[in-house]
Amino acid sequence: GVIIGPFALGLTGQLADVMKFAEFGVVILLFLIGLGSSLTWVLLGTSLQAVVKSPRAVRIFNVVMALLLLASLYPVLKEP
């Protein structure tokens, strides 16, 4: 939105047009961030699949992850 606005390239002088392009830019930015996060999780899952093979190892991994999730909630839920 800033690039096409009246103060940069001057492609449009209408505020409504600039706002539409700015919103589209934010959507694209969030999409690219989400895509990078998803790719990271896929690669992490693929590499963990080689390490966690037995059902017992999968169960231990799941319990540890659940405990870590609960522990991460403690600062949020504790009274100030």
Side-chain angles (χ1 to χ4, degrees):
V2 172
I3 294 173
I4 67 161
F7 301 111
L9 295 179
L11 297 177
T12 182
Q14 301 295 325
L15 181 61
D17 293 338
V18 174
M19 291 300 294
K20 287 179 187 176
F21 279 105
E23 290 173 5
F24 181 72
V26 170
V27 168
I28 293 297
L29 178 68
L30 292 174
F31 173 76
L32 292 174
I33 290 170
L35 189 64
S37 297
S38 296
L39 181 61
T40 301
W41 280 111
V42 166
L43 293 174
L44 180 65
T46 303
S47 63
L48 276 176
Q49 190 176 17
V51 176
V52 182
K53 292 185 179 182
S54 72
R56 183 173 185 270
V58 171
R59 181 170 176 86
I60 291 171
F61 177 79
N62 287 339
V63 168
V64 169
M65 289 295 111
L67 291 174
L68 287 173
L69 177 62
L70 289 174
S72 71
L73 290 175
Y74 176 73
V76 176
L77 299 176
K78 77 174 186 172
E79 301 265 335

